[in-house]
Amino acid sequence: MHHMDQRLEKDFSSFAEFWSCGYASEYIELFHTGRSHEHTIVSLSQPSGEFPDPALPEFNVQLLTKGTVNIDVMYGGTKFDTLATPGSIFVAPPDTQTNYVISGAHKVVGLAINQQLLKRFRDQSEFQLPSDFGSLHEKKIYDPTIEALILRMVEQAMLQNPASDLFLDNATNTILAELLTRSDIEAGTSDEQGPLSSADLQKVTAMIENRLEEGLTIADLAGMTSLSDWHFARAFKISTGFSPHQYVLRRRIVRAKDLLTNSKLPLAEVAAATGFSSQSHMSDVFRQKVGTTPGKYRQETV
């Protein structure tokens, strides 16, 4: 969202480029691009002013997190003005130059969602996916689910570890589904979806075990089935009782326990072998799930 002068001179191909290389870069507090490049999340602390965004092939979901401000919004030919408070959400359409004039200092989280993800939704879903979210572009919205998911995405992005990618992917998919619901688009299988087939569940869990030290994404796991990313995540939770992110974390803890008990690997190597970004990250998760540190666990079990 800043002054018009030379801010859109450069051609950008994505919001990741625009936020990291354009005028917004001076306001960034957090910047994270998903491993699959289907989403980018940024946290910006900005003054009052005019903030134009270029036309890019992504949806841009913006959540105001701090400040009570007047905002004049222009998406292509759509114009509106509103008083925005923390929790206000704006959904800018893709391929549309947008402009925001904001009356005071504020903080905002932007979530850019690549249209390739929407294309996968369209190809894999049993309902007709539109090119945008209709009337949602014409107003601010409040949605506690989307707000909570975006704030959790910021927390996970700050961890900067591969294990967070699963949560970030799943959250992005859920936000898309929530926007579809708010747009009054019917998803034919929304409330009647069952678990994964036993064959699919076996393939997915085997993949997790074989690649536990890697950064897995929802797309990686869903690719083992015929389901869309969002339907896969729901079916996986029905099957296991855990989201993919929670399940992978638990399996990493099980693998770490085994290595701590049955090997003499240093703690840093145990962390690397089980997919944690660092020894301290493993220790934090281990303490949360097991109630003790990896070092103490090793002393008590060896």
Side-chain angles (χ1 to χ4, degrees):
M1 298 181 193
H2 207 255
H3 306 294
M4 290 292 274
D5 42 51
Q6 299 175 338
R7 297 177 184 278
L8 298 183
E9 275 187 359
K10 179 178 173 60
D11 290 331
F12 300 98
S13 62
S14 67
F15 274 101
E17 287 186 9
F18 172 60
W19 284 328
S20 61
C21 302
Y23 72 79
S25 60
E26 63 183 289
Y27 305 122
I28 288 178
E29 293 186 331
L30 168 81
F31 176 84
H32 179 86
T33 298
R35 190 166 70 89
S36 57
H37 301 290
E38 290 174 343
H39 66 263
T40 298
I41 191 164
V42 66
S43 179
L44 302 165
S45 180
Q46 301 180 143
S48 61
E50 185 174 3
F51 300 87
D53 289 349
L56 296 170
E58 296 161 291
F59 290 91
N60 183 8
V61 182
Q62 302 215 30
L63 168 69
L64 185 70
T65 59
K66 186 175 182 179
T68 297
V69 293
N70 289 303
I71 302 182
D72 292 330
V73 182
M74 182 172 68
Y75 299 144
T78 298
K79 299 180 181 180
F80 65 94
D81 60 85
T82 185
L83 176 67
T85 57
S88 299
I89 296 169
F90 300 86
V91 184
D95 302 314
T96 304
Q97 182 167 330
T98 66
N99 193 58
Y100 307 81
V101 179
I102 305 179
S103 67
H106 58 282
K107 291 188 178 183
V108 64
V109 175
L111 174 63
I113 304 175
N114 194 295
Q115 286 193 91
Q116 286 301 112
L117 181 57
L118 291 172
K119 183 178 184 301
R120 188 154 67 242
F121 262 66
R122 184 184 295 112
D123 292 345
Q124 298 178 343
S125 297
E126 297 180 9
F127 56 92
Q128 181 64 41
L129 186 67
S131 59
D132 60 25
F133 295 107
S135 63
L136 296 189
H137 300 309
E138 301 173 2
K139 59 188 177 183
K140 72 179 177 189
I141 62 173
Y142 290 99
D143 188 299
T145 299
I146 294 175
E147 179 182 6
L149 284 167
I150 289 176
L151 294 177
R152 283 291 309 280
M153 289 180 76
V154 170
E155 293 175 0
Q156 289 293 320
M158 289 176 68
L159 295 176
Q160 296 184 347
N161 67 75
S164 296
D165 284 336
L166 281 172
F167 178 85
L168 294 169
D169 286 348
N170 196 30
T172 301
N173 293 332
T174 304
I175 287 169
L176 278 178
E178 185 72 11
L179 290 171
L180 287 172
T181 300
R182 291 187 67 98
S183 303
D184 296 321
I185 305 224
E186 291 188 17
T189 59
S190 60
D191 294 323
E192 299 181 3
Q193 182 177 340
L196 292 172
S197 69
S198 58
D200 280 348
L201 182 60
Q202 184 175 2
K203 286 189 294 185
V204 170
T205 54
M207 180 184 189
I208 290 172
E209 295 300 324
N210 291 335
R211 295 175 55 183
L212 204 55
E213 74 282 3
E214 300 179 25
L216 293 168
T217 67
I218 292 291
D220 292 332
L221 300 178
M224 302 296 291
T225 74
S226 60
L227 298 175
S228 70
D229 295 0
W230 181 63
H231 285 132
F232 164 79
R234 295 187 68 194
F236 186 89
K237 187 166 186 177
I238 293 170
S239 299
T240 65
F242 301 104
S243 69
H245 175 68
Q246 292 170 330
Y247 182 88
V248 169
L249 277 183
R250 287 172 179 270
R251 295 310 303 166
R252 285 181 169 141
I253 290 295
V254 170
R255 178 78 58 84
K257 283 181 174 180
D258 178 61
L259 291 175
L260 290 168
T261 302
N262 299 309
S263 80
K264 296 182 179 180
L265 287 176
L267 295 184
E269 292 185 26
V270 171
T274 50
F276 292 103
S277 60
S278 65
Q279 180 180 329
S280 62
H281 179 226
M282 179 181 71
S283 296
D284 289 343
V285 176
F286 202 92
R287 187 184 298 108
Q288 180 185 15
K289 301 294 185 184
V290 184
T292 187
T293 66
K296 289 181 180 178
Y297 181 86
R298 170 171 272 175
Q299 292 174 355
E300 293 169 357
T301 56
V302 172

